[in-house]
Amino acid sequence: MKGARFLAASLPTAEKFWWEGTMEGPSGHSSSAKTASFQDAVRMLNTLQTNASYLEQAKRQRGDPQTQLEAMELYLARSGLQVEDLDRLNIIHVTGTKGKGSTCAFTECILRSYGLKTGFFSSPHLVQVRERIRINGQPISPDLFTKYFWRLYHRLEETKDGSCVSMPPYFRFLTLMAFHVFLQEKVDLAVVEVGIGGAYDCTNIIRKPVVCGVSSLGIDHTSLLGDTVEKIAWQKGGIFKQGVPAFTVLQPEGPLAVLRDRAQQISCPLYLCPPLEALEEGGLPLTLGLEGEHQRSNAALALQLAHCWLQWQDHHDAGELKESRPGLLWQLPLAPVFQPTSHMRLGLRNTEWLGRTQVLRRGPLTWYLDGAHTPSSVQACVRWFCQALQGRERLSSGTEVRVLLFNTTGDRDSAVLLKLLQPCQFNYAVFCPNLTEVSSTGNADQQNFTVTLDQVLLRCLEHQQHWNCLDEEQASPALWSAPSPELAGPASLLLVPHPPHSSASSLVFSCISHALQWISQGRDPVFQPPSSPKSLLTHPVARSGASVLHEAAAVHVLVTGSLHLVGGVLKLLEPALSQ
């Protein structure tokens, strides 16, 4: 990367650029954060490609993925930073297939409980894009986001030449922006969640993290990372660095062996986390802010990451060791067993991570929100949902209704995911795109330029077809009958005729708002849209279902399959998140 280093040498220092440079708005003229609005910045950001198009680009270029890391280093240099500057962030770098975001959230909250100033970069966002860049657990403010966005955007514009593309894609831009924000806001540490994979993820320009973590591995992004867990493990192990300690949770033997080999090849000390029960022995049980049995594995990894970081800092309260000579398992040394400190307990208890095993209780309605989107994470979601139903207060009278609200995107196999959800015994299965409204022009955070409404609705119809086939154990010849003309408008309820003897009716709506209106029947005290389209009750299943939902003593709604879907639901159910 000589070119990147040469270019960086000719640029002003990061400090000079970020604090002496003017901020320009969309017009190119100097302006204040108040003039260049947050929504203007987000709209401009959206033009840099969304995650879907980034995936397509990465698939085409994966023959030489190393060049993508080099390109990221060049973007970093053009922004006024060198990779060595990132060492000052004292980074905790975390990857995995499921649970990596929750692990990061636990880790950040634990270290924040020590009074440290934390940075946290994660993806995707649920409601507002600024959620991806957090300081002390809170998304950066709209003004701060706007300020840093335009400074980086115009700096990259100023340093472009004929040999390079002026702007990085969406995720890379946000990664660069997070590094600048954390450096300029002088955080004590940064928890950085990998976007996709690890080896060739743009966050992997980090050269000297303090510690690395790998959460549970499974199958996801197969067209990009490989079609076996072993291939995916090789990608995830790509974040290991020579001499930098790394921790992982118990994995199947095959992928664990791949991680072990990856670590040995570069002299990375890799440790296997003992279960949370080992840290609880002889003390009080640990209380977690996130529900679900699977969160205990994430919390165990987070405790090791935080403990290692504190030891690296020679912190006096890093946790007293219980065992001085840890054993071996699968030829990997076990991470130390220590007594969690009061700060660690507080951090675990106070952790919040929206859209993951989250419950909202609203009168007769209970919303269960979990962005599970891989087979293993959906299995964990089903266990959590069923356990939550078993632990609920029993009704003395009246009916209970279970509703599934589902969507999934990308190359994920919805038939596999839906089959895993069958044991929940839903009365209704509802499918809709990840659009809060049919038109998202008024909300830049929800815009996606890479797909059309027709494309996402067809995908929902495919989900419904899979569900109906699973429900009936045979395909119905009527499944793909065309909707009647009066239902064809964009604001309509789109339905495929349902088999006559099915135990659970299925519906497809054109947006999240319409789906929630039908499910809630005006009974959610917070979600009160001004009026419902008449088309929501056009179909007989919708009419009969509306009556059932309106009269039910309790309605339990599981929202899953996509974090983007969960984000859209949260936007409508929790309006304060948009403010």
Side-chain angles (χ1 to χ4, degrees), residues 367-371 403-406 557-561 565-566 569:
W367 305 90
Y368 302 83
L369 311 175
D370 191 73
V403 182
L404 170 67
L405 179 55
F406 179 91
V557 189
L558 175 62
V559 184
T560 193
L565 172 66
V566 168
V569 170

Side-chain angles (χ1 to χ4, degrees), residues 435 437-439 453-454 457 485-494 509-511 514 533 535:
L435 303 169
E437 308 287 348
V438 175
S439 173
L453 181 58
D454 287 344
L457 285 173
E486 65 268 23
L487 295 179
S492 298
L493 168 68
L494 299 182
F509 291 90
S510 56
C511 66
H514 289 176
S535 60

Side-chain angles (χ1 to χ4, degrees), residues 221-234:
H221 299 299
T222 53
S223 59
L224 193 61
L225 304 179
D227 56 2
T228 68
V229 186
E230 287 76 15
K231 292 177 181 178
I232 291 172
W234 188 93

Side-chain angles (χ1 to χ4, degrees), residues 387-405:
Q387 288 170 0
L389 290 180
Q390 290 174 357
R392 73 191 184 283
E393 183 178 347
R394 299 290 178 177
L395 297 173
S396 57
S397 62
T399 59
E400 292 189 358
V401 179
R402 298 182 187 183
V403 182
L404 170 67
L405 179 55

Side-chain angles (χ1 to χ4, degrees), residues 38 113 146 165 195 255 273 305 318 381 412 447 458 462-463 497 500 505 575 579:
F38 170 65
S113 73
T146 303
V165 178
C273 294
L305 296 174
C381 173
R412 298 175 180 97
Q447 287 178 333
L458 281 174
E462 292 173 3
H463 300 336
S505 299
Q579 299 169 0

Side-chain angles (χ1 to χ4, degrees), residues 260-277:
R260 183 185 65 229
D261 293 344
R262 281 283 253 168
Q264 289 176 349
Q265 288 168 6
I266 61 167
S267 299
C268 163
L270 175 63
Y271 301 92
L272 191 60
C273 294
L276 205 57
E277 292 78 7

Side-chain angles (χ1 to χ4, degrees), residues 367-554:
W367 305 90
Y368 302 83
L369 311 175
D370 191 73
H373 52 269
T374 69
S376 55
S377 60
V378 168
Q379 286 177 315
C381 173
V382 168
R383 288 193 296 270
W384 162 69
F385 178 68
C386 292
Q387 288 170 0
L389 290 180
Q390 290 174 357
R392 73 191 184 283
E393 183 178 347
R394 299 290 178 177
L395 297 173
S396 57
S397 62
T399 59
E400 292 189 358
V401 179
R402 298 182 187 183
V403 182
L404 170 67
L405 179 55
F406 179 91
N407 190 34
T408 196
T409 58
D411 56 8
R412 298 175 180 97
D413 190 338
S414 60
V416 171
L417 302 183
L418 290 169
K419 186 173 184 177
L420 294 170
L421 289 160
Q422 290 274 307
C424 296
Q425 299 180 326
F426 295 105
N427 301 100
Y428 297 95
V430 178
F431 306 96
C432 68
N434 298 338
L435 303 169
T436 51
E437 308 287 348
V438 175
S439 173
S440 60
T441 54
N443 178 27
D445 288 282
Q446 299 289 325
Q447 287 178 333
N448 184 344
F449 298 134
T450 66
V451 289
T452 66
L453 181 58
D454 287 344
Q455 288 172 325
V456 294
L457 285 173
L458 281 174
R459 184 72 187 268
C460 289
L461 292 173
E462 292 173 3
H463 300 336
Q464 186 189 40
Q465 183 188 38
H466 290 315
W467 181 263
N468 291 346
C469 290
L470 288 166
D471 207 27
E472 288 297 309
E473 296 185 350
Q474 61 182 1
S476 168
L479 279 176
W480 286 99
S481 301
S484 57
E486 65 268 23
L487 295 179
S492 298
L493 168 68
L494 299 182
L495 294 167
V496 174
H498 198 272
H501 305 297
S502 176
S503 59
S505 299
S506 62
L507 308 173
V508 176
F509 291 90
S510 56
C511 66
I512 297 171
S513 178
H514 289 176
L516 296 192
Q517 287 177 55
W518 182 81
I519 293 169
S520 64
Q521 291 297 310
R523 304 177 75 191
D524 187 303
V526 177
F527 178 65
Q528 294 289 329
S531 62
S532 299
K534 294 181 179 179
S535 60
L536 295 189
L537 298 179
T538 303
H539 194 277
V541 172
R543 283 199 302 273
S544 63
S547 177
V548 171
L549 290 165
H550 189 73
E551 299 299 327

